[in-house]
């Protein structure tokens, strides 16, 4: 009996002790002073929101107040950290996903009417029978005409969940008809142009973002061009504002050999992390040029910076944007999210590309536009604006950190700017409207050319085309009758390229436009030496 008692006593004591602690905790929670057992973690912000909810004189949309408070908090951080309400988060995700859900057309507002300017091949609208030139006047009985209509309103009306139906009222050559289009997933490609400039030189143009499909599209384009004999490449990243970090790293890996460092990241709460080459690349040899400008940012700067640091490519164009911060998306419980900067990235030599934002967000963003006002985008001596830490590449080239990637060869904007009249026609859409209608009325002119190359060499705008444009401009009270011949030629060159887009899409546009583009011409000069 005594032995059994000795065995069970410790167990019984343990049960009583645990039960006593539990009962004591429950008892303490009913007492007026229980801070020892309970720590109040409510923030001052939450306390203020609670008081407003309970005591404010009028009804308040507290969700809006919370969003505003979070946004103001994010504004106190760097220029690239942001609060994303659910609708903005959806747009951000869609932009980087490589596709969206819709009917598969490109359109423009011409004289307050939605005109279809392109029907995506094998997309929902092509299957339903839509054509370039169709005018969409209603979608599901919602009118899309009138002065209050905007591109955003049209886009929101025709997009929708894959599998849903958009009932379109379409006007074609004066006749109205109903077209039912079943929405689907529409690709938004990263590579919008890839072609052979000559027998050896290839050209690849990236669109404005690095999406989740960018690396795959890049590899497909590279393989296609190599089959056509490409041994030298022009990689055009002008206007590309960045996107997915990993896509840029994978692309750089295709240009560098061994286990070379591509980029590394580091932050106060993010330990240093290196990203190195990990596979044999598709283009580790062969001449390479990378084109950049003041809107090339983030992922584009990772590509340009790594290739410049290793002396692998010649960087041509204008100084890049200067964004060297890494953001991560942190979802919140209501469907919104924080896009928070967690680290800075550094090129292989250790250059930080990030511009200073000590003067505030507004000054930071305005700096890019100030480059136009102070002449930096026009003249080569803008190379002197970066005075950061000095770095030296393995080949002996001197580079600087802070303020973006400075190109190895500067090509400024043409100082022979368009006149005020022509700029008005570009800005208000009159120029695009004219080219679109000219294409619809003269398809047979373009039909005689089988390729953009043949078109670029053989098509010359007729005198009748220019006179038609002059008459078209008069609708906006703009007189082009005394336009200098040099400017007239530049406008006609732009017309030729825009016309090519309607038949051969962006690939055709760039194949024609690049024949006169000074940055591309400089790249060709470098590659042909």
């Amino acid at each position: 009996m005594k032995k059994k008692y000795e065995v069970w006593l410790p167990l019984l004591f343990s049960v009583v002790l645990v039960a006593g602690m539990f009962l004591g905790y429950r008892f303490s929670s009913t007492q007026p002073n229980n801070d020892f057992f309970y720590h109040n973690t409510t923030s001052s912000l939450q306390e203020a929101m609670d008081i407003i909810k309970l005591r404010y004189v009028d009804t308040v949309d507290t969700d809006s107040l919370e969003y505003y408070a979070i946004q103001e908090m994010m504004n106190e951080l760097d220029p690239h950290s942001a609060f994303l309400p659910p609708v903005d988060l959806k747009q951000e995700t869609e932009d980087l996903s490589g596709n969206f859900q819709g009917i598969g057309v490109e359109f423009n507002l011409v004289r307050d009417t939605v005109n279809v300017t392109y029907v995506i091949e094998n997309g929902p609208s092509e299957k339903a029978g839509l054509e370039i030139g169709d005018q969409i006047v209603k979608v599901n009985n919602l009118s899309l005409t009138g002065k209050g209509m905007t591109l955003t309103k049209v886009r929101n009306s025709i997009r929708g969940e894959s599998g849903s139906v958009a009932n379109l009222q379409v006007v074609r050559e004066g006749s109205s008809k109903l077209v039912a289009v079943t929405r689907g997933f529409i690709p938004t490609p990263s590579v919008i142009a890839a072609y052979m400039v000559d027998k050896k030189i290839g050209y690849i143009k990236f669109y404005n973002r690095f999406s989740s499909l960018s690396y795959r599209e890049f590899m497909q384009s590279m393989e296609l061009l190599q089959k056509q004999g490409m041994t030298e490449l022009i990689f055009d990243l002008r206007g590309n504002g960045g996107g997915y970090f990993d896509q840029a790293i994978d692309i750089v890996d295709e240009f560098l050999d061994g286990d070379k460092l591509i980029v590394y990241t580091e932050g106060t709460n993010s330990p240093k992390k290196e990203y190195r080459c990990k596979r044999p690349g598709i283009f580790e040899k062969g001449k390479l040029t990378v084109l950049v400008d003041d809107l090339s940012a983030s992922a584009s700067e990772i590509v340009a910076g790594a290739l410049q640091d290793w002396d692998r490519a010649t960087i041509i164009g204008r100084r890049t944007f200067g964004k060297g911060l890494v953001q991560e998306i942190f979802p919140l419980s209501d469907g919104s999210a924080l896009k928070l900067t967690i680290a800075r990235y550094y090129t292989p030599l250790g250059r930080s590309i990030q511009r200073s934002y000590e003067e505030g967000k507004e000054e930071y963003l305005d700096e890019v536009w100030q480059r136009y006002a102070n002449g930096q985008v026009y003249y080569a001596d803008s190379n002197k604006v970066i005075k950061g830490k000095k770095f030296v590449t393995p080949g002996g080239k001197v580079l600087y950190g802070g303020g973006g990637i400075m190109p190895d060869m500067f090509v400024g904007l043409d100082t022979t700017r368009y006149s005020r009249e022509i700029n008005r026609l570009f800005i208000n859409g009159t120029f695009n409207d004219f080219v679109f209608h000219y294409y619809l009325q003269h398809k047979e002119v373009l039909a005689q050319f089988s390729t953009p190359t043949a078109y670029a060499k053989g098509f010359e705008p007729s005198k009748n085309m220019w006179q038609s444009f002059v008459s078209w401009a008069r609708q906006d009270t703009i007189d082009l009758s005394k336009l200098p011949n040099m400017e007239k030629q530049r406008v006609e060159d732009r017309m030729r390229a825009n016309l090519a887009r309607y038949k051969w899409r962006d690939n055709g546009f760039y194949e024609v436009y690049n024949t006169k583009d000074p940055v591309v011409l400089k790249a060709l000069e470098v590659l042909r030496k």
Side-chain angles (χ1 to χ4, degrees):
M1 183 72 177
K2 183 178 180 182
K3 192 171 183 180
K4 290 183 178 179
Y5 183 79
E6 289 174 352
V7 171
W8 284 100
L9 183 60
L11 179 60
L12 181 64
F13 181 80
S14 299
V15 171
V16 171
L17 180 61
V18 171
M21 291 174 64
F22 176 74
L23 291 173
Y25 173 77
R26 292 293 301 272
F27 177 76
S28 72
S29 66
T30 66
Q31 303 307 303
N33 186 6
N34 62 342
D35 287 348
F36 180 80
F37 292 97
Y38 177 74
H39 179 62
N40 186 356
T41 59
T42 303
S43 68
S44 298
L45 175 61
Q46 186 59 55
E47 288 176 349
M49 292 299 301
D50 291 342
I51 293 171
I52 291 171
K53 289 179 184 178
L54 292 172
R55 302 304 301 272
Y56 188 63
V57 62
D58 293 321
T59 302
V60 177
D61 183 351
T62 51
D63 287 344
S64 296
L65 280 181
E66 288 178 350
Y67 282 4
Y68 179 77
I70 297 172
Q71 186 62 65
E72 286 301 301
M73 182 167 57
M74 300 302 287
N75 285 340
E76 293 301 312
L77 305 178
D78 65 276
H80 299 288
S81 290
F83 171 63
L84 301 175
V87 64
D88 293 343
L89 178 61
K90 180 183 178 183
Q91 184 66 51
E92 179 99 2
T93 304
E94 191 174 84
D95 288 344
L96 293 173
S97 67
N99 61 64
F100 65 92
Q101 299 176 65
I103 66 172
V105 297
E106 293 180 10
F107 61 88
N108 207 347
L109 279 173
V110 181
R111 310 298 179 191
D112 303 322
T113 302
V114 179
N115 286 256
V116 175
T117 58
Y118 182 65
V119 181
I120 293 176
E121 188 176 358
N122 297 320
S125 288
E126 184 184 66
K127 293 175 182 177
L130 257 63
E131 299 177 1
I132 295 178
D134 285 347
Q135 296 179 328
I136 304 175
V137 294
K138 285 185 180 180
V139 55
N140 295 334
N141 291 320
L142 175 68
S143 176
L144 297 183
T145 60
K147 292 185 177 180
M149 192 53 56
T150 64
L151 292 174
T152 300
K153 289 180 180 179
V154 176
R155 188 179 298 112
N156 291 339
S157 298
I158 63 177
R159 288 188 180 184
E161 295 294 325
S162 178
S164 63
V165 177
N167 293 299
L168 308 179
Q169 183 177 335
V170 174
V171 175
R172 180 183 299 166
E173 297 178 352
S175 298
S176 179
K177 59 184 299 185
L178 291 175
V179 180
V181 182
T182 301
R183 297 182 178 99
F185 284 93
I186 311 301
T188 53
S190 296
V191 177
I192 58 173
Y195 68 91
M196 293 296 293
V197 179
D198 58 26
K199 292 182 179 180
K200 295 195 305 181
I201 301 174
Y203 172 89
I204 292 178
K205 169 70 177 178
F206 257 45
Y207 191 43
N208 61 356
R209 303 295 287 270
F210 279 77
S211 76
S212 60
L213 303 177
S214 291
Y215 173 66
R216 183 166 72 181
E217 292 177 26
F218 169 79
M219 290 298 289
Q220 291 170 345
S221 299
M222 289 292 292
E223 290 168 359
L224 177 65
L225 295 181
Q226 285 182 331
K227 287 179 181 178
Q228 298 178 54
M230 181 188 73
T231 58
E232 301 172 4
L233 176 65
I234 300 172
F235 190 20
D236 194 343
L237 293 177
R238 289 176 294 175
N240 187 292
Y244 282 126
F245 184 79
D246 62 321
Q247 300 291 304
I249 292 169
D250 285 342
I251 288 171
V252 174
D253 197 348
E254 299 299 330
F255 293 124
L256 297 177
D257 58 13
D259 68 341
K260 286 187 170 67
L261 179 63
I262 296 171
V263 67
Y264 69 88
T265 62
E266 192 171 16
T268 301
N269 298 303
S270 299
K272 182 178 180 180
K273 184 174 182 180
E274 294 185 344
Y275 298 83
R276 292 181 172 274
C277 295
K278 54 188 178 183
R279 67 175 74 88
I282 195 172
F283 199 74
E284 293 180 354
K285 307 297 180 184
K287 289 184 178 180
L288 174 64
T289 58
V290 178
L291 313 186
V292 296
D293 64 10
D294 32 277
L295 297 181
S296 303
S298 191
S300 293
E301 293 173 295
I302 290 175
V303 174
L307 298 177
Q308 189 179 48
D309 278 18
W310 286 112
D311 297 307
R312 175 66 186 91
T314 302
I315 313 301
I316 302 174
R318 304 195 299 273
R319 178 164 64 102
T320 61
F321 184 88
K323 178 184 179 294
L325 302 176
V326 182
Q327 281 77 47
E328 186 172 335
I329 300 292
F330 294 89
L332 302 179
S333 58
D334 65 348
S336 60
L338 297 183
K339 184 168 72 170
L340 189 68
T341 296
I342 60 168
R344 296 175 185 270
Y345 73 72
Y346 299 84
T347 70
L349 290 176
R351 290 189 290 161
S352 172
I353 306 305
Q354 181 60 45
R355 286 187 287 116
S356 171
Y357 47 85
E358 292 181 357
E359 299 299 320
K361 188 173 184 178
E362 187 174 343
E363 287 292 325
Y364 173 79
L365 296 175
D366 282 348
E367 191 271 345
V368 175
W369 308 118
Q370 285 300 317
R371 300 181 195 181
Y372 290 80
N374 60 28
Q376 288 183 29
V377 297
Y378 300 104
Y379 306 109
D381 54 0
S382 65
N383 286 274
K384 300 175 183 177
V385 301
I386 294 183
K387 299 178 181 178
K389 184 178 177 181
K390 183 184 293 187
F391 298 84
V392 181
T393 71
K397 182 166 51 184
V398 176
L399 304 173
Y400 295 91
I405 298 292
M406 184 61 70
D408 301 311
M409 292 190 171
F410 179 87
V411 180
L413 283 178
D414 191 347
T415 55
T416 312
R417 309 174 194 180
Y418 285 115
S419 64
R420 184 170 57 182
E421 290 79 11
I422 292 299
N423 277 325
R424 278 181 59 192
L425 295 175
F426 285 143
I427 293 170
N428 65 16
T430 298
F431 176 83
N432 287 334
D433 294 351
F434 170 77
V435 176
F436 174 63
H437 282 88
Y438 187 89
Y439 169 78
L440 294 178
Q441 296 164 10
H442 298 83
K443 289 183 180 180
E444 71 284 352
V445 176
L446 275 73
Q448 60 185 298
F449 301 104
S450 58
T451 65
T453 301
Y455 169 83
K457 293 178 179 178
F459 177 78
E460 287 294 337
S462 65
K463 290 183 179 179
N464 288 338
M465 181 179 180
W466 179 255
Q467 290 305 318
S468 297
F469 181 54
V470 172
S471 299
W472 191 275
R474 285 201 188 102
Q475 297 178 57
D476 288 336
T477 65
I478 297 176
D479 183 10
L480 300 181
S481 60
K482 298 180 180 179
L483 201 69
N485 286 333
M486 182 179 293
E487 187 168 10
K488 174 184 172 183
Q489 182 62 54
R490 293 170 65 204
V491 174
E492 287 183 338
D493 289 341
R494 191 61 178 261
M495 284 180 181
R496 292 166 67 245
N498 279 40
L499 280 170
R501 174 176 270 140
Y502 288 115
K503 183 170 182 179
W504 296 287
R505 303 303 302 131
D506 288 319
N507 211 75
F509 172 84
Y510 285 102
E511 193 163 344
V512 175
Y513 184 77
N514 286 346
T515 60
K516 301 292 180 71
D517 185 338
V519 185
V520 173
L521 295 177
K522 175 59 72 173
L524 292 173
E525 179 185 319
V526 169
L527 294 175
R528 288 168 175 167
K529 280 185 178 179

